[in-house]
Amino acid sequence: MEVTFLGTSSAVPSKNRNHTSIALRIPGEVFLFDCGEGTQRQMAIAGISPMKVTRMFITHLHGDHILGIPGMIQSMGFRGRQEPLEIYGPPGIHELHESIMKLGYFTLDFDIHVHEVKGGTVLEEEDYRITSAPASHSVFNLAYCFEEKKRPRFLREKAIELGLKPGPAFGKLHRGIPVRVGDRIIKPEEVLGSPRRGVKICYSGDTRPCESVIDLAREADLLIHESTFEAGSEDKAAESGHSTAREAAEVAASACVRRLILTHLSTRYKRTEVILNAAREVFPETDVADDLMTVEVKADDSGSSA
Ligand SMILES: [Zn+2]
Ligand SMILES: [Zn+2]
């Protein structure tokens, strides 16, 4: 599972930092979290096709998080996209979609399904779930959490011992469906090991440090938290509904996450070491995102006996 930071600036982009967007690549799908201006160009440089984006999750409706959507959708149309696109976002997302459809003369051959989210479960699939929680910004902002549902390990030798042959029966049992062999029913629990932890990734969007993000990110493998200001600018951060690097690190420590990556950096700070050092004093497993940085995220299976 790979996370690519397509843009890491706050309100204003710079030579080195584009507006906010994060791509999450899971088997068979690409998700975009926020879609700031210029995101489709960043995707081209990163080698991620917008045609593979199945779902977009928008944290809030500030321009630096949404102004890439119109161009992205129009390019998808020009390229002949047929597959539907799902867009999830806070209240106001339907009006945003309607406005986008009036921008410029274009037609689309694919459907866009817009989903208004206020918090809680966003979607539940066989292999993963996405949940959300309102955070604490100057406008309504959603933090999102991706959680992989990892099936218990399949005990192949045990299944063969019980008289099963490799094939569709293995898949059925792995999905929790009993299978008949002769006059005996094999139950899934007979051939499945202990449950395994899947990958958990949480993204804060723009926010003050808050309990709802701590709860959502609890024991995540990766927390991506905004860090608009450096330590010493707590007043500015509080006034504008943002966090400092140290505050983001405190959230990571409280949530007991494995790794923290800071993003949404003010372009006034040229030296990221200052931000990094302040955060690492509180939470050593911290990095600062750069544009086009990709990280692989794996689940911590150390607690599993299977
Ligand atoms: Zn922002
Ligand atoms: Zn904002």
Side-chain angles (χ1 to χ4, degrees):
M1 207 154 290
E2 283 183 348
V3 171
T4 299
F5 292 85
L6 297 166
T8 59
S9 80
S10 57
V12 180
S14 69
K15 191 172 75 168
N16 300 318
R17 294 191 187 274
N18 201 75
H19 274 143
T20 294
S21 184
I22 298 160
L24 171 63
R25 282 184 274 185
I26 68 166
E29 289 192 81
V30 176
F31 300 155
L32 277 192
F33 290 88
D34 286 329
C35 186
E37 183 189 339
T39 295
Q40 56 172 331
R41 185 99 204 294
Q42 295 292 92
M43 291 182 80
I45 299 167
I48 304 170
S49 171
M51 300 297 271
K52 298 223 169 101
V53 173
T54 50
R55 307 177 194 277
M56 268 188 210
F57 301 90
I58 303 300
T59 57
H60 66 299
L61 302 183
H62 275 153
D64 55 319
H65 298 253
I66 58 168
L67 289 176
I69 304 174
M72 175 91 68
I73 286 173
Q74 292 185 26
S75 294
M76 288 172 175
F78 288 135
R79 290 177 171 185
R81 182 178 176 123
Q82 304 281 320
E83 297 74 29
L85 174 68
E86 312 292 325
I87 301 181
Y88 306 82
I93 194 78
H94 284 287
E95 290 80 358
L96 174 71
H97 172 238
E98 281 164 22
S99 306
I100 287 172
M101 297 312 284
K102 292 179 201 151
L103 280 177
Y105 298 93
F106 69 100
T107 52
L108 300 178
D109 291 327
F110 64 97
D111 292 326
I112 298 175
H113 303 139
V114 180
H115 310 264
E116 187 182 288
V117 178
K118 291 177 181 162
T121 301
V122 180
L123 77 139
E124 184 99 41
E125 293 286 317
E126 196 180 334
D127 296 331
Y128 62 85
R129 85 168 61 80
I130 308 262
T131 51
S132 65
S136 174
H137 191 36
S138 55
V139 298
F140 186 82
N141 176 91
L142 290 158
Y144 287 101
C145 181
F146 166 89
E147 271 178 282
E148 185 189 23
K149 298 181 193 170
K150 216 163 187 180
R151 293 190 200 117
R153 200 157 278 135
F154 187 74
L155 308 174
R156 193 184 156 85
E157 269 89 59
K158 185 85 188 291
I160 292 169
E161 254 174 49
L162 291 169
L164 284 159
K165 291 197 174 68
F170 278 27
K172 273 192 177 174
L173 283 162
H174 205 182
R175 290 197 302 279
I177 305 164
V179 163
R180 178 182 286 277
V181 178
D183 51 5
R184 178 161 188 253
I185 304 278
I186 312 276
K187 293 190 195 133
E189 52 268 34
E190 294 180 72
V191 291
L192 297 181
S194 320
R196 292 185 292 164
R197 273 200 71 206
V199 167
K200 178 171 174 176
I201 298 168
C202 186
Y203 168 46
S204 69
D206 287 5
T207 186
R208 294 283 304 134
C210 64
E211 285 298 322
S212 58
V213 173
I214 294 171
D215 285 344
L216 193 70
R218 186 93 45 210
E219 295 184 355
D221 300 288
L222 172 62
L223 168 63
I224 301 164
H225 199 287
E226 75 121 290
S227 168
T228 309
F229 293 98
E230 61 184 6
S233 300
E234 283 75 15
D235 290 351
K236 276 190 215 147
E239 269 166 37
S240 55
H242 288 293
S243 302
T244 65
R246 176 176 278 275
E247 287 170 333
E250 284 164 357
V251 170
S254 302
C256 301
V257 303
R258 286 174 61 210
R259 185 177 183 188
L260 168 67
I261 299 185
L262 302 173
T263 188
H264 200 272
L265 307 172
S266 171
T267 47
R268 87 186 71 181
Y269 304 117
K270 304 283 182 247
R271 289 175 55 240
T272 51
E273 303 95 273
V274 178
I275 290 172
L276 190 59
N277 293 341
R280 281 187 178 169
E281 275 175 24
V282 177
F283 190 78
E285 297 305 314
T286 304
D287 287 294
V288 173
D290 283 320
D291 277 25
L292 305 172
M293 177 173 115
T294 292
V295 293
E296 193 183 352
V297 190
K298 288 185 182 157
D300 177 14
D301 257 352
S302 56
S304 165
S305 56

